[in-house]
Amino acid sequence: MADLSDLPPARSGRRALAWPGVPLLVALALWAYAVRHTDVSRLDDYGLVSALHPAFWAGLAVLTTGFWFTVRDARRPGAWSAAYVLGLLVMERATQAVLYPTPLYAWAWKHEAVIDHLLTAGGLQTADQVGDMAVYDQWPGFFAAQAALQRLLGVGSAAMFMAWWPLVSSLMLLLPLLLIYRTFTEDRRLIWTAVWLFYVANWVGQDYFSPQSVAYALHVGVLAVVLRRFGRSAVRRGRPRQAVWTVVITVMVTAIVISHQLTPGMLAVCLLALCLSRRYRDWVPLVTTVVIFLAWCLTAALPFLSAAMPDMIRSIGDVGANVETGYGATPTGTGAIATSWAARLLSGSVLLLAAVGVLRQRVLRHRARPLLLVAAAPLPMFAASSYGSEMIFRVLLFMLPGAAFFAAAALLPKVRTLAADAAAQETGDRQATGTAGPRRRVIGTWVPLAALLGGTLAFVPAYSGKDRINYFPPQEVTLVRQLFDQAPDGSLVVAANRNYPDAYASYWSIDHYWFLDDARSHVDKIVRDPAATLADDMAGVERPARAYLLLTQGQLANSEMNGQLDKAQLNRIRTSVAASPRFRLVAENSAGWLYVLKQSGGAER
């Protein structure tokens, strides 16, 4: 079965073929102008949304409109659709790297510290040596690869390139997505609209410098290989299951298993769902994944799993933990709430469109049923574990390849076979050939465009609306590095929370205590009598080690916007410490303050 787009495109002049380049160039020009005139030095609770120059929004609207009219025209070469998608990735994923002078996300900085530790220690270490951070040594694939890349590039730190990782990891997904979609259709309209919707709906933020970003790309790659090379149709067309594809899958699955804890489980449930389809009754990919996963869990990862298994078992079926609110888990303030709702509406709209596409496109509902199974497979994981209250977001992420495909189908005219189209032309049936009146053509063109444009614009607040939390200005980086440059081994660093750059620097030789992670009763005690309580908490450090208190812009933003302590309470803590004779100010700048606890006995440095 072939789609209508398989018909040869009508010949047109060179000028008509080149016109899609005009809105693309205009959009990129507007983007370039916007990033040159956007000031991120003072972000508010709306993050990058309110800081962006209006030209950015105009450019995004022009890009989306140009893409829609280009992808719907069968006369346009597919290269134009690809160019628009690449333009979308630049505007979505490269804007922050261009605007911000330092990398985003405290977790990205944490992963940079793990790589630094791996290079420093020269090998993996146990919990007796590095405590809770040993979990990263038990899934070292990503960090070992990045350490090798760092040495290959000759750079001193992964911070030199990790700001660009969202763009890189998004590009890694493009080829496997195209392979998956081309398995079920040759309609370029459907393929490229699905790719566009996938990137627009992928606001979850797992594309940053992290093991899951690479593991997810490999996950999609495994699905692409299985869907294209392990189905019955491949055998009928004279392309039997070759041992080389099993080897390819084995390599990719191994890389996933040694890099990330959750992705192998998601891959296993997706492959199991495929086995329920008569077209994919091949158990080799599933068995390969399960065997490698279990082998790793029972050997290298056993220390972590042995300690974590009781909590993991207790969390099974605790669906409420995925939507838990309360202290530290509630968006606080107009900006944080608006960002949260933008993300929810974006995901909900894509899933609703996917449901419409399944109901509306009968041909695809049958032909692409394996992709529908893959989209639904992650749902049971929602009840399997809360995964630190993040499982709901991870389930959405793993549903996206299939959901985006059917959502795109909802925006496009009904897919028909060439045979059905030829029969309709012979009978002169205008409705069957897709010829409609002006009103119907207007609805079929502008309503889907409005939906596509709304989703594309909503991506920005959903993805970068929390940049007040995630961005650390150079002054904050300087202050934190000043701390770790002077802290002796065995020192203690106390902070409100872990949302600051290099929070895990030297974690193998320096202890950390984030007091907002403590019991709420103790946090209330700190708020009532900050200096005395914190001094007592920090008093056990002996010379030559020191006890430091670090308060930074990132910590304050995270506390305020996630419902921990408000601005007045945080100012009370800082003012109390500043006035206390038990603390001495070591350094300060526009991004924070660093204090040291004075030690009794001997001269104070």
Side-chain angles (χ1 to χ4, degrees), residues 9 142 160 193 202 207 227 247 295 302 381 406 437 460 492 593:
F142 172 81
M160 299 292 293
T193 305
N202 187 11
D207 54 358
L227 290 170
V247 173
L302 188 59
M381 299 293 286
F406 287 100
V460 181
L492 171 66
W593 305 265

Side-chain angles (χ1 to χ4, degrees), residues 495-509:
N497 51 52
R498 65 197 75 195
N499 192 62
Y500 55 94
D502 278 331
Y504 289 84
S506 304
Y507 64 83
W508 54 94
S509 60

Side-chain angles (χ1 to χ4, degrees), residues 130-445:
V130 290
D132 293 340
M133 295 295 289
V135 64
Y136 294 100
D137 287 43
Q138 292 168 36
W139 277 274
F142 172 81
F143 305 107
Q146 294 300 326
L149 177 63
Q150 187 173 315
R151 285 184 170 175
L152 179 66
L153 296 177
V155 297
S157 168
M160 299 292 293
F161 56 82
M162 67 186 187
W164 293 93
W165 199 256
L167 178 61
V168 172
S169 61
S170 296
L171 288 171
M172 287 191 295
L173 287 164
L174 183 56
L175 178 59
L177 283 173
L178 291 174
L179 292 175
I180 288 175
Y181 296 151
R182 285 183 60 84
T183 302
F184 302 105
T185 182
E186 295 178 6
D187 188 335
R188 290 198 304 268
R189 302 168 305 167
L190 181 54
I191 292 170
W192 286 107
T193 305
V195 170
W196 184 281
L197 283 175
F198 173 87
Y199 284 124
V200 164
N202 187 11
W203 61 267
V204 177
Q206 298 304 308
D207 54 358
Y208 71 100
F209 187 70
S210 62
Q212 57 265 37
S213 64
V214 176
Y216 182 66
L218 291 170
H219 164 88
V220 179
V222 171
L223 292 180
V225 172
V226 172
L227 290 170
R228 293 184 68 85
R229 297 296 181 180
F230 283 81
R232 290 192 307 173
S233 58
V235 177
R236 287 199 301 267
R237 290 195 297 267
R239 295 184 297 187
R241 297 187 295 267
Q242 302 174 20
V244 65
W245 292 114
T246 301
V247 173
V248 169
I249 287 177
T250 301
V251 171
M252 289 194 290
V253 169
T254 301
I256 293 171
V257 167
I258 67 175
S259 298
H260 196 234
Q261 302 91 345
L262 178 64
T263 306
M266 289 290 192
L267 179 60
V269 297
C270 290
L271 295 177
L272 178 61
L274 282 179
C275 289
L276 301 178
S277 170
R278 288 183 296 177
R279 277 177 276 179
Y280 292 94
R281 287 282 173 83
D282 194 321
W283 294 86
V284 171
L286 176 60
V287 171
T288 301
T289 300
V290 172
V291 168
I292 296 174
F293 187 28
L294 289 178
W296 188 261
C297 289
L298 295 175
T299 53
L302 188 59
F304 169 80
L305 292 175
S306 299
M309 190 59 68
D311 289 336
M312 294 170 64
I313 293 175
R314 281 194 295 268
S315 68
I316 295 176
D318 186 10
V319 178
N322 286 291
V323 291
E324 183 179 4
T325 59
Y327 173 71
T330 303
T332 304
T334 305
I337 294 173
T339 295
S340 177
W341 275 106
R344 294 176 186 178
L345 291 173
L346 177 56
S347 293
S349 298
V350 171
L351 293 178
L352 180 60
L353 280 175
V356 172
V358 171
L359 296 174
R360 183 169 177 262
Q361 301 281 14
R362 186 175 60 182
V363 172
L364 289 179
R365 189 164 66 240
H366 170 73
R367 186 179 184 184
R369 186 174 299 167
L371 193 54
L372 184 59
L373 292 173
V374 168
L379 284 172
M381 299 293 286
F382 186 72
S385 172
S386 66
Y387 202 67
S389 298
E390 288 191 8
M391 184 60 78
I392 185 173
F393 306 116
R394 304 303 175 92
V395 167
L396 286 171
L397 179 63
F398 283 89
M399 292 178 67
L400 263 185
F405 181 81
F406 287 100
L411 298 179
L412 294 168
K414 287 192 175 183
V415 177
R416 297 185 300 270
T417 64
L418 288 178
D421 185 59
Q425 288 179 344
E426 290 178 3
T427 60
D429 186 351
R430 290 172 58 85
Q431 184 176 359
T433 58
T435 305
R439 181 178 178 183
R440 191 168 181 179
R441 285 198 299 270
V442 167
I443 293 175
T445 298

Side-chain angles (χ1 to χ4, degrees), residues 525-550:
K525 184 179 179 181
I526 292 175
V527 173
R528 287 194 301 269
D529 192 2
T533 306
L534 287 172
D536 291 342
D537 291 339
M538 301 164 64
V541 179
E542 299 181 356
R543 294 181 184 275
R546 309 300 300 274
Y548 298 88
L549 175 65
L550 177 69

Side-chain angles (χ1 to χ4, degrees), residues 67 80-90 174 192 195-196 199:
F67 167 79
W80 280 119
S81 299
Y84 272 96
V85 168
L86 293 177
L88 175 71
L89 290 180
V90 169
L174 183 56
W192 286 107
V195 170
W196 184 281
Y199 284 124

